[in-house]
PDB file of all heavy atoms in Angstrom:
ATOM      1  N   LEU L 102     -17.094 -47.502  26.092  1.00 98.00           N
ATOM      2  CA  LEU L 102     -18.190 -48.077  25.280  1.00 98.00           C
ATOM      3  C   LEU L 102     -18.614 -49.370  25.732  1.00 98.00           C
ATOM      4  O   LEU L 102     -19.820 -49.726  25.668  1.00 98.00           O
ATOM      5  CB  LEU L 102     -17.751 -48.052  23.773  1.00 98.00           C
ATOM      6  CG  LEU L 102     -17.540 -46.708  23.176  1.00 98.00           C
ATOM      7  CD1 LEU L 102     -16.832 -46.717  21.826  1.00 98.00           C
ATOM      8  CD2 LEU L 102     -18.824 -45.907  23.023  1.00 98.00           C
ATOM      9  N   ASP L 103     -17.652 -50.197  26.093  1.00 98.00           N
ATOM     10  CA  ASP L 103     -18.019 -51.561  26.650  1.00 98.00           C
ATOM     11  C   ASP L 103     -18.945 -51.367  27.859  1.00 98.00           C
ATOM     12  O   ASP L 103     -19.922 -52.086  28.029  1.00 98.00           O
ATOM     13  CB  ASP L 103     -16.764 -52.356  26.997  1.00 98.00           C
ATOM     14  CG  ASP L 103     -16.038 -52.823  25.822  1.00 98.00           C
ATOM     15  OD1 ASP L 103     -16.558 -52.868  24.656  1.00 98.00           O
ATOM     16  OD2 ASP L 103     -14.814 -53.265  25.959  1.00 98.00           O
ATOM     17  N   LEU L 104     -18.564 -50.478  28.721  1.00 98.00           N
ATOM     18  CA  LEU L 104     -19.350 -50.235  29.950  1.00 98.00           C
ATOM     19  C   LEU L 104     -20.801 -49.847  29.644  1.00 98.00           C
ATOM     20  O   LEU L 104     -21.699 -50.281  30.213  1.00 98.00           O
ATOM     21  CB  LEU L 104     -18.581 -49.181  30.826  1.00 98.00           C
ATOM     22  CG  LEU L 104     -19.170 -48.863  32.144  1.00 98.00           C
ATOM     23  CD1 LEU L 104     -19.251 -50.061  33.090  1.00 98.00           C
ATOM     24  CD2 LEU L 104     -18.439 -47.737  32.820  1.00 98.00           C
ATOM     25  N   VAL L 105     -20.869 -48.829  28.741  1.00 98.00           N
ATOM     26  CA  VAL L 105     -22.173 -48.347  28.379  1.00 98.00           C
ATOM     27  C   VAL L 105     -23.056 -49.489  27.780  1.00 98.00           C
ATOM     28  O   VAL L 105     -24.166 -49.665  28.147  1.00 98.00           O
ATOM     29  CB  VAL L 105     -22.120 -47.178  27.355  1.00 98.00           C
ATOM     30  CG1 VAL L 105     -23.473 -46.828  26.834  1.00 98.00           C
ATOM     31  CG2 VAL L 105     -21.433 -45.949  28.012  1.00 98.00           C
ATOM     32  N   ALA L 106     -22.431 -50.255  26.898  1.00 98.00           N
ATOM     33  CA  ALA L 106     -23.139 -51.312  26.253  1.00 98.00           C
ATOM     34  C   ALA L 106     -23.623 -52.400  27.268  1.00 98.00           C
ATOM     35  O   ALA L 106     -24.759 -52.830  27.257  1.00 98.00           O
ATOM     36  CB  ALA L 106     -22.351 -51.984  25.153  1.00 98.00           C
ATOM     37  N   ASP L 107     -22.713 -52.764  28.191  1.00 98.00           N
ATOM     38  CA  ASP L 107     -23.028 -53.659  29.240  1.00 98.00           C
ATOM     39  C   ASP L 107     -24.169 -53.206  30.067  1.00 98.00           C
ATOM     40  O   ASP L 107     -25.152 -53.958  30.416  1.00 98.00           O
ATOM     41  CB  ASP L 107     -21.858 -53.851  30.167  1.00 98.00           C
ATOM     42  CG  ASP L 107     -20.858 -54.921  29.637  1.00 98.00           C
ATOM     43  OD1 ASP L 107     -21.218 -55.474  28.585  1.00 98.00           O
ATOM     44  OD2 ASP L 107     -19.783 -55.038  30.226  1.00 98.00           O
ATOM     45  N   GLN L 108     -24.192 -51.909  30.441  1.00 98.00           N
ATOM     46  CA  GLN L 108     -25.236 -51.383  31.320  1.00 98.00           C
ATOM     47  C   GLN L 108     -26.569 -51.339  30.579  1.00 98.00           C
ATOM     48  O   GLN L 108     -27.582 -51.590  31.175  1.00 98.00           O
ATOM     49  CB  GLN L 108     -24.785 -50.077  31.932  1.00 98.00           C
ATOM     50  CG  GLN L 108     -23.570 -50.216  32.810  1.00 98.00           C
ATOM     51  CD  GLN L 108     -23.470 -49.091  33.898  1.00 98.00           C
ATOM     52  OE1 GLN L 108     -24.311 -48.342  34.016  1.00 98.00           O
ATOM     53  NE2 GLN L 108     -22.326 -49.018  34.556  1.00 98.00           N
ATOM     54  N   VAL L 109     -26.489 -50.962  29.311  1.00 98.00           N
ATOM     55  CA  VAL L 109     -27.727 -50.893  28.563  1.00 98.00           C
ATOM     56  C   VAL L 109     -28.334 -52.326  28.533  1.00 98.00           C
ATOM     57  O   VAL L 109     -29.571 -52.442  28.719  1.00 98.00           O
ATOM     58  CB  VAL L 109     -27.462 -50.354  27.158  1.00 98.00           C
ATOM     59  CG1 VAL L 109     -28.645 -50.614  26.236  1.00 98.00           C
ATOM     60  CG2 VAL L 109     -27.239 -48.811  27.221  1.00 98.00           C
ATOM     61  N   ARG L 110     -27.518 -53.317  28.206  1.00 98.00           N
ATOM     62  CA  ARG L 110     -28.052 -54.710  28.118  1.00 98.00           C
ATOM     63  C   ARG L 110     -28.662 -55.084  29.421  1.00 98.00           C
ATOM     64  O   ARG L 110     -29.771 -55.627  29.425  1.00 98.00           O
ATOM     65  CB  ARG L 110     -26.866 -55.669  27.727  1.00 98.00           C
ATOM     66  CG  ARG L 110     -26.772 -55.928  26.250  1.00 98.00           C
ATOM     67  CD  ARG L 110     -25.896 -57.146  25.989  1.00 98.00           C
ATOM     68  NE  ARG L 110     -24.521 -56.857  26.464  1.00 98.00           N
ATOM     69  CZ  ARG L 110     -23.537 -56.240  25.618  1.00 98.00           C
ATOM     70  NH1 ARG L 110     -23.835 -56.038  24.431  1.00 98.00           N
ATOM     71  NH2 ARG L 110     -22.400 -56.068  26.079  1.00 98.00           N
ATOM     72  N   THR L 111     -27.988 -54.790  30.627  1.00 98.00           N
ATOM     73  CA  THR L 111     -28.565 -55.179  31.862  1.00 98.00           C
ATOM     74  C   THR L 111     -29.836 -54.513  32.116  1.00 98.00           C
ATOM     75  O   THR L 111     -30.824 -55.158  32.590  1.00 98.00           O
ATOM     76  CB  THR L 111     -27.512 -54.781  33.043  1.00 98.00           C
ATOM     77  OG1 THR L 111     -26.251 -55.444  32.618  1.00 98.00           O
ATOM     78  CG2 THR L 111     -27.958 -55.315  34.342  1.00 98.00           C
ATOM     79  N   ILE L 112     -29.899 -53.196  31.901  1.00 98.00           N
ATOM     80  CA  ILE L 112     -31.128 -52.444  32.242  1.00 98.00           C
ATOM     81  C   ILE L 112     -32.288 -52.963  31.350  1.00 98.00           C
ATOM     82  O   ILE L 112     -33.372 -53.103  31.781  1.00 98.00           O
ATOM     83  CB  ILE L 112     -30.816 -50.911  32.046  1.00 98.00           C
ATOM     84  CG1 ILE L 112     -29.900 -50.466  33.162  1.00 98.00           C
ATOM     85  CG2 ILE L 112     -32.159 -50.147  32.091  1.00 98.00           C
ATOM     86  CD1 ILE L 112     -29.253 -49.039  32.927  1.00 98.00           C
ATOM     87  N   ARG L 527     -21.686 -53.205  19.412  1.00 98.00           N
ATOM     88  CA  ARG L 527     -21.576 -53.926  20.658  1.00 98.00           C
ATOM     89  C   ARG L 527     -22.921 -54.425  21.079  1.00 98.00           C
ATOM     90  O   ARG L 527     -22.989 -55.501  21.780  1.00 98.00           O
ATOM     91  CB  ARG L 527     -21.099 -52.947  21.712  1.00 98.00           C
ATOM     92  CG  ARG L 527     -19.548 -52.767  21.717  1.00 98.00           C
ATOM     93  CD  ARG L 527     -19.115 -51.572  22.593  1.00 98.00           C
ATOM     94  NE  ARG L 527     -17.732 -51.478  22.732  1.00 98.00           N
ATOM     95  CZ  ARG L 527     -16.875 -50.981  21.790  1.00 98.00           C
ATOM     96  NH1 ARG L 527     -17.390 -50.509  20.666  1.00 98.00           N
ATOM     97  NH2 ARG L 527     -15.645 -50.868  21.993  1.00 98.00           N
ATOM     98  N   LEU L 528     -24.054 -53.772  20.763  1.00 98.00           N
ATOM     99  CA  LEU L 528     -25.331 -54.231  21.173  1.00 98.00           C
ATOM    100  C   LEU L 528     -25.934 -55.246  20.114  1.00 98.00           C
ATOM    101  O   LEU L 528     -27.021 -55.740  20.302  1.00 98.00           O
ATOM    102  CB  LEU L 528     -26.288 -53.027  21.302  1.00 98.00           C
ATOM    103  CG  LEU L 528     -25.963 -52.112  22.440  1.00 98.00           C
ATOM    104  CD1 LEU L 528     -26.735 -50.748  22.323  1.00 98.00           C
ATOM    105  CD2 LEU L 528     -26.311 -52.755  23.771  1.00 98.00           C
TER     106      LEU L 528
END
Side-chain angles (χ1 to χ4, degrees):
L102 292 169
D103 286 347
L104 181 62
V105 171
D107 276 354
Q108 294 205 10
V109 165
R110 264 194 297 270
T111 303
I112 291 165
R527 282 169 170 78
L528 292 166

